[in-house]
Amino acid sequence: MIASDAPIEALTFDLQGETFALEAGLVQEVLDLLPETPVPGARPFVGAVINFRGRVIPLVDLRLAFDMSAGAPTIDSRIVVIKYVLDGEQALIGLRADKVHEVTTITRDTTEQAPRVGMSWRPDFIRLLARRGGDLIVIPDLEQIFATRG
């Protein structure tokens, strides 16, 4: 885990016009869309798998965790492959993104906890909010999301 006052190097991406960020150290690769194989009986949050370098990995739609509609892919849509520890083991997971932007530095003085009231999203799914200009960047709490929705 990152020290509480250390800046966060983060990959920024869009989900339905909202900007999100993941710690860059988690990101393995950003891919163009790949053929998906639906998983019968799976919940929509992880409703498909993809072939990533000969390995079958789950494809997660964070939009559904944040109660957004899934939406159709566009020319800007990408898959962000992350390496994440699930149940004590390293796992590769694909995350849908409507558009991937850049790796940027988020300083701790621009971040704050999500308010517990007044949010349209579950506050426990948000690790931090960061301000950049007039925009908000949402840093999701993947541990909470995967524990609840996975």
Side-chain angles (χ1 to χ4, degrees), residues 28-31 34 50-57 81 92:
Q28 294 297 293
E29 197 165 333
V30 176
L31 306 170
L34 296 171
I50 58 171
N51 182 333
F52 174 69
R53 301 185 186 275
R55 293 181 61 184
V56 174
I57 66 170
V81 177
L92 290 174

Side-chain angles (χ1 to χ4, degrees), residues 22 59-60 62 78-82 93-97 142 146:
L22 292 172
L59 184 58
V60 170
L62 287 178
R78 298 291 181 269
I79 297 170
V80 179
V81 177
I82 63 169
I93 301 168
L95 302 175
R96 296 178 190 274
L142 295 179
F146 291 154

Side-chain angles (χ1 to χ4, degrees), residues 88-103:
E89 294 187 25
Q90 286 279 344
L92 290 174
I93 301 168
L95 302 175
R96 296 178 190 274
D98 294 334
K99 185 176 190 175
V100 173
H101 294 288
E102 63 190 355
V103 174

Side-chain angles (χ1 to χ4, degrees), residues 48-148:
V49 294
I50 58 171
N51 182 333
F52 174 69
R53 301 185 186 275
R55 293 181 61 184
V56 174
I57 66 170
L59 184 58
V60 170
D61 196 337
L62 287 178
R63 294 174 296 197
L64 299 179
F66 287 95
D67 295 323
M68 300 173 176
S69 60
T74 70
I75 194 165
D76 292 325
S77 297
R78 298 291 181 269
I79 297 170
V80 179
V81 177
I82 63 169
K83 188 180 284 189
Y84 195 78
V85 176
L86 284 176
D87 299 324
E89 294 187 25
Q90 286 279 344
L92 290 174
I93 301 168
L95 302 175
R96 296 178 190 274
D98 294 334
K99 185 176 190 175
V100 173
H101 294 288
E102 63 190 355
V103 174
T104 188
T105 301
I106 298 173
T107 58
R108 292 298 176 151
D109 63 337
T110 65
T111 65
E112 59 190 69
Q113 298 296 316
R116 292 286 173 216
V117 294
M119 294 287 296
S120 58
W121 302 321
R122 288 181 55 166
D124 58 324
F125 283 2
I126 301 171
R127 194 172 116 216
L128 290 170
L129 294 174
R131 295 175 308 282
R132 180 168 62 183
D135 297 328
L136 270 182
I137 299 172
V138 178
I139 303 171
D141 188 330
L142 295 179
E143 185 174 343
Q144 275 296 109
I145 292 168
F146 291 154
T148 306

Side-chain angles (χ1 to χ4, degrees), residues 7-66:
I8 302 169
E9 292 296 317
L11 176 73
T12 57
F13 60 97
D14 282 354
L15 296 175
Q16 288 192 344
E18 302 288 342
T19 303
F20 285 73
L22 292 172
E23 289 177 21
L26 297 175
V27 177
Q28 294 297 293
E29 197 165 333
V30 176
L31 306 170
D32 290 332
L33 294 181
L34 296 171
E36 302 174 18
T37 303
V39 177
R43 292 187 281 182
F45 176 66
V46 190
V49 294
I50 58 171
N51 182 333
F52 174 69
R53 301 185 186 275
R55 293 181 61 184
V56 174
I57 66 170
L59 184 58
V60 170
D61 196 337
L62 287 178
R63 294 174 296 197
L64 299 179
F66 287 95

